[in-house]
Amino acid sequence: MSKIIEVKEKVEAGKAKLVPGLVQEALNEGCSAPDILQAMVEAMDVVGNKFSSGEIFVPEMLVSARAMSKGVEVLKPILASSGSVSNGLCIMGTVAGDLHDIGKNLVTIMIESAGFDVIDLGVDVPITKFIETIKEHPEVKVLALSALLTTTMPSLRETVNGVRESGLTGFKILVGGAPITQAFADEIGADGYAPDAGSAAVKAKELIA
Ligand code: B1M
């Protein structure tokens, strides 16, 4: 069996101890890092669908997420191979009320590889924390906001509004996450939207050009 299929199966099964070794073996077999990443994302889609249908519950989603995060750690040095350019600072976080971080972490890796320094504020980040961090780092070029739940789309809107209302300027706001669309990004007044980690890095560079 191709190692990439095994990676997918073990992420789905939440085998965090086995996944890093299998990811390394898949790389050794000649599989590319983006292909392995794609297999892990597909595994998470399967997990999400099983959760939706009531076949599994939150703890199973969590162990799969841990397994994928361990796999991403092995891929990170390859995905993040960057040049020496510096595009400035990006402040990143998942908005208040939302605990999903795998997508945000991938976006962070790709934005770093596009030459940005990233301050990652983590998950469930209150608006005040974003504002405080921007004040501490007025040189920030991009504020990158992730939201993974339809129920945290309003939190994304409030974060964009709150940051705008703070009067702080000099940076662009980039948003994304599974339920977010270009139309929603426009509606809430974000400067940019990207559907995935790779295009987030491209968009971040476009925004500061
Ligand atoms: Co959650 N969860 N979850 N979950 N979870 C989803 C998102 C869900 C779709 C599953 C489902 O029902 N099919 C569903 C949301 C439904 C909806 O919104 N209508 C859901 C739910 C309902 C919930 C809870 C409410 C469940 C509950 O408690 N009853 C709960 C909410 C907790 C909270 O946040 N307050 C919850 C909890 C969790 C866990 C904690 C158990 C765990 C997260 C652990 C972690 O992240 N460390 C979890 C997981 C693992 C998932 C699924 C299965 C996988 C998410 C993931 O990592 N995907 C997910 C189903 C799914 O996605 N298929 C699901 C892989 C990742 C690479 O993709 O995050 O989409 P993604 O990131 C992409 C893009 O979105 C984009 O680029 C990334 C990479 O290409 N992107 C950006 C992301 N951020 C971006 C920012 C950008 C640009 C692009 O610019 C700044």
Side-chain angles (χ1 to χ4, degrees):
M1 190 197 309
S2 160
K3 287 294 164 200
I4 208 162
I5 296 172
E6 267 191 77
V7 168
K8 189 174 169 181
E9 284 178 0
K10 299 302 180 211
V11 167
E12 206 185 309
K15 303 288 182 192
K17 285 193 180 148
L18 296 179
V19 170
L22 286 168
V23 168
Q24 189 56 56
E25 286 176 40
L27 287 168
N28 297 345
E29 233 184 27
C31 300
S32 75
D35 284 349
I36 299 168
L37 186 60
Q38 180 57 31
M40 292 197 283
V41 170
E42 284 169 17
M44 295 312 285
D45 284 341
V46 174
V47 169
N49 291 337
K50 284 187 177 171
F51 174 76
S52 296
S53 64
E55 208 176 314
I56 61 166
F57 299 96
V58 169
E60 285 95 332
M61 277 208 288
L62 198 52
V63 289
S64 293
R66 288 209 184 113
M68 173 156 179
S69 295
K70 291 284 178 198
V72 169
E73 277 174 29
V74 179
L75 295 180
K76 185 175 173 180
I78 304 166
L79 294 170
S81 55
S82 70
S84 55
V85 280
S86 174
N87 282 316
L89 178 66
C90 170
I91 295 173
M92 158 77 69
T94 302
V95 297
D98 199 321
L99 301 174
H100 296 83
D101 71 354
I102 296 179
K104 169 189 67 62
N105 294 343
L106 287 174
V107 172
T108 299
I109 291 171
M110 297 313 287
I111 287 188
E112 280 175 343
S113 77
F116 289 85
D117 295 316
V118 178
I119 295 177
D120 183 352
L121 298 176
V123 297
D124 191 16
V125 181
I127 304 169
T128 48
K129 181 68 185 170
F130 283 116
I131 293 174
E132 199 179 289
T133 312
I134 297 165
K135 283 183 180 161
E136 281 164 14
H137 299 277
E139 74 281 15
V140 60
K141 293 277 191 295
V142 177
L143 175 64
L145 305 173
S146 184
L148 255 293
L149 297 166
T150 48
T151 50
T152 53
M153 289 170 75
S155 175
L156 181 62
R157 181 196 297 273
E158 285 156 21
T159 305
V160 172
N161 282 345
V163 169
R164 297 282 190 223
E165 282 162 13
S166 72
L168 295 163
T169 55
F171 54 89
K172 302 287 185 182
I173 302 182
L174 174 65
V175 298
I180 311 305
T181 59
Q182 180 67 60
F184 184 73
D186 293 342
E187 189 188 312
I188 64 175
D191 298 299
Y193 158 78
D196 56 51
S199 53
V202 172
K203 194 50 141 182
K205 283 207 279 189
E206 270 174 38
L207 287 175
I208 60 149

